[in-house]
Each structure stands twice: as C-alpha cells, then as structure tokens.
Amino acid sequence: LRDETLAALAQAEDHTAWDAIRVGTLGKSGRLTRLLKELGRMSPEERKARGQALNQLRDELNVAVEARGQEIAAAALDARLKTERVDVTMPASLAPCGLLHPIMRTIDEMTAIFAAMGFSVAEGPDIETQWHNFSALNTPDHHPARTEHDTFYLPPQNEGAPERVLRTQTSGVQIRTMLTQEPPIRIIAPGRTYRADHDATHSPMFHQCEGLVVEKGVTLGHLKGCLIEFLRVFFDKPDLPVRFRASYFPFTEPSMEVDIGWSRQTGVVGGGEDWLEVLGAGMTHPRVLANCGLDPAEWQGFAFGMGIERLTMLKHGIPDLRSFYESDLRWLRHYGFSP
Ligand code: PHE
C-alpha cells in the first residue's frame, strides 16, 4: 500500500488525480482508513504491533500527500502565470457616457461666439426681486408688460421684504451687472426664465440669453454689427439674411426685433422668402442707466435677449418645444452632443 500510494502520487499531475489518491487512501473509506478500522476486531497483541505500523504509515502518507499537493498547486500556478496575461495597453471598455443636452450645447456655442467678441458670462438668481425684473428696467407697476409676461409671483419672505417673482426674462442680470461692475461692460447672461404659459410653443420654464454692452460712444451700428455677426456664426451661414424691425421694450430706446431669413415650408434657416423673429434688442434706455447710477450723458449701451430653445430648434430642426424637457432617452441620444 505504501509503495503503491507513493508511486501513484509521483505520477499524479493535477489536482483531480491527486485528490482521488488522497481520498482513496486516507479518506473516510480509504484503503488505509479501512485497515485502521480493522484493528478493533483484533486481539490486543496483534493490535499493538499492527497498530503501531499502520499509524506510522498513516503519518508518512499524510506528509507525502500534503507535499505532493503543494507541488501540484505550485506547478498549476506557474502554468497560469505563463499563459494568462493582462495586456495593460488594451483599450478599456468604456462605461456609457452621458451627452450634452442641446440647450447646454447652444449655451456653450453662444458663450464661445460672444467670448471671441470680448464678452464674459454673468449670472443672476432665478428668484428675482420685482425691482430687478421690472422696475429698474423702466417697467413701472401696472405697466402692461408685467401682465403680458404672465408672471409667477412669490410671497414676500417676511414683512417689508422685497416682492419676489420667478424671473420672466434674463434682463434683470443687466441691472445686477451695472450695479456691481464698472463700465466698460460686455456680458452675456444665459439662464432659466419662467412664465405661466403652457402650450405647444410655450413652456412655463425656458431659457434666454441676455446681452449687455456699456461703453462710451456705443451706437446702433455696433449693436447691428454684433448681432449680425453672432447670427451668421451661430447658424454657420455667412450670407444669412438679417432684418431689424422697430419694436418696443420698456428698457431700450429705440427698440427692435431681429428677424432671420428662413423658409416656413421647409423650416430651413437662410433659404426661402419668409422672416422669423429670433431676438429682441435695443439701445439701453437712459433711465435704465440712471437707475444703475450711470450718467447717460457719459455712457451708452445696447442690450439684446434671445430664446435659447427657439434658436436650438431652428439650428437642429427640432420640431416640438416640449421634447426638450421630457427626458426621453431616445430623443436625448438623437439630439445630444458628445462632450
Ligand atoms: N427681455 C426681452 C424679452 O424677454 C428681450 C430683450 C432683451 C429685449 C434685451 C431688448 C433688450 O422679450
């Protein structure tokens, strides 16, 4: 039994063969275990002599089995190390990556275009005081623009605190900027705006991008040049027709609306006979400058505001305003941009 077991162990090449020998010899009903069990049926003298021999054999085989087991395990590990390799230069499998929402993308593009013209980005709060959103912008109480905007009013925080609204336009950032920055000023202010209006072409929350320039000797010509340049770069159409139409805003004088050429039939920007309004603009009203502590005899300015959704829909042929806010993954994958 001893020689047979040792020979078999020497020949065992893997864990399975080794384990079969271990169990077949030393296991519960292994050959040696059975011999040891037979001791119980022997006379005391026989048992003594044979028991000693069998116990010795069991110790010897235990050591041999254990040693061979370790050899086999070491050899298996060696073989694995030789054949299994991790190529650390292989490209990793990429985790799914989010996309930029088209609104974010448009804001980034606007920021880049105006940055090239020397503008920086300013911000203001979504919850705005009525003074910043209306009064300082030359829109007094009971002015029709206040009701036209379908304003969301908020209760005052405590007695005597300023009356608050969800800002109906980003124009309040003009006021905040003039109050905190020394001119010359060139800022744009993209952000959320709110009006209590909801249908296929209006959303109670939408985005605007405001612009403000305050410098000495700024004219309507600067305003027109700046906006024509912006629109042609934004739509990537050097010949895009742009038209300025007289209009009214309380905080600019003169005021105008800006149209671009497009085709009503195909929705294509640049082509066709039709005009589409994309911007409000004008020369900063002297009263607005004065409300911010600037002398209108010394400083001139112009301002503009545009709807970000509208421009994004035109640029990418997005048909429905509501789809911007539905978070439909298929829509986001289709219109989203890789960052
Ligand atoms: N705030 C105006 C609007 O919401 C747009 C505008 C901004 C017009 C700046 C003129 C100057 O319609």
Side-chain angles (χ1 to χ4, degrees):
L1 173 64
R2 175 183 177 274
D3 294 345
E4 252 179 59
T5 309
L6 292 179
L9 274 177
Q11 267 174 23
E13 292 289 348
D14 57 19
H15 181 84
T16 319
W18 169 82
D19 204 46
I21 297 161
R22 184 182 67 82
V23 174
T25 311
L26 300 162
K28 246 191 196 149
S29 41
R31 291 166 73 197
L32 183 58
T33 313
R34 269 199 319 252
L35 292 177
L36 281 162
K37 277 184 193 154
E38 279 167 14
L39 287 174
R41 293 198 301 266
M42 289 178 180
S43 67
E45 299 83 58
E46 265 182 316
R47 189 190 306 159
K48 197 174 173 206
R50 202 164 155 77
Q52 212 173 13
L54 287 179
N55 277 327
Q56 224 169 15
L57 179 57
R58 185 190 55 195
D59 291 346
E60 185 188 348
L61 290 182
N62 257 331
V63 169
V65 164
E66 204 47 48
R68 184 65 185 144
Q70 278 175 18
E71 272 172 30
I72 290 173
L77 182 61
D78 263 358
R80 272 187 61 188
L81 287 174
K82 275 200 195 103
T83 55
E84 287 178 21
R85 251 172 232 192
V86 176
D87 182 351
V88 293
T89 67
M90 287 237 300
S93 55
L94 293 176
C97 179
L99 298 171
L100 280 184
H101 193 282
I103 290 189
M104 250 350 272
R105 165 76 171 206
T106 296
I107 290 175
D108 288 350
E109 286 173 354
M110 290 176 169
T111 304
I113 297 169
F114 283 109
M117 294 194 257
F119 287 71
S120 52
V121 173
E123 280 181 32
D126 288 20
I127 297 176
E128 188 54 287
T129 69
Q130 289 212 48
W131 186 78
H132 288 91
N133 193 76
F134 290 125
S135 312
L137 288 161
N138 196 35
T139 317
D141 296 356
H142 312 299
H143 190 285
R146 293 209 184 194
T147 43
E148 270 163 32
H149 279 197
D150 299 308
T151 311
F152 285 112
Y153 291 93
L154 296 171
Q157 265 165 319
N158 43 57
E159 223 177 306
E163 293 176 274
R164 299 174 307 157
V165 296
L166 292 182
R167 65 178 178 189
T168 60
Q169 51 188 356
T170 42
S171 302
V173 185
Q174 291 188 37
I175 303 301
R176 292 186 173 271
T177 307
M178 285 188 273
L179 286 173
T180 54
Q181 287 182 26
E182 291 286 317
I185 290 169
R186 279 187 206 182
I187 57 106
I188 58 164
R192 292 196 180 100
T193 47
Y194 305 84
R195 294 184 196 179
D197 200 354
H198 193 36
D199 60 34
T201 54
H202 295 88
S203 155
M205 186 282 294
F206 59 105
H207 297 74
Q208 284 188 340
C209 182
E210 194 79 12
L212 174 70
V213 170
V214 180
E215 283 176 36
K216 286 182 181 166
V218 159
T219 68
L220 194 60
H222 295 123
L223 162 60
K224 290 176 74 174
C226 173
L227 292 180
I228 291 171
E229 169 75 4
F230 164 72
L231 289 167
R232 290 186 173 165
V233 175
F234 180 77
F235 285 109
D236 195 18
K237 290 211 156 63
D239 305 322
L240 180 69
V242 180
R243 178 174 83 169
F244 291 77
R245 207 165 19 81
S247 183
Y248 172 79
F249 299 102
F251 36 90
T252 48
E253 181 60 35
S255 301
M256 59 208 71
E257 281 172 323
V258 187
D259 302 335
I260 56 172
W262 80 309
S263 158
R264 189 174 305 279
Q265 214 183 359
T266 63
V268 171
V269 171
E273 267 102 80
D274 307 304
W275 293 100
L276 186 68
E277 184 225 316
V278 290
L279 267 151
M283 302 307 292
T284 305
H285 196 294
R287 231 175 272 154
V288 173
L289 291 170
N291 287 342
C292 300
L294 296 173
D295 180 359
E298 190 183 356
W299 297 102
Q300 291 75 45
F302 68 78
F304 53 88
M306 51 196 151
I308 291 178
E309 280 82 350
R310 155 74 63 97
L311 288 168
T312 307
M313 289 166 78
L314 283 169
K315 180 160 175 171
H316 302 296
I318 297 171
D320 190 338
L321 172 74
R322 286 169 288 200
S323 56
F324 281 106
Y325 320 109
E326 280 167 354
S327 298
D328 182 332
L329 274 179
R330 293 163 302 178
W331 186 90
L332 290 167
R333 288 202 186 102
H334 183 74
Y335 289 110
F337 291 88
S338 295

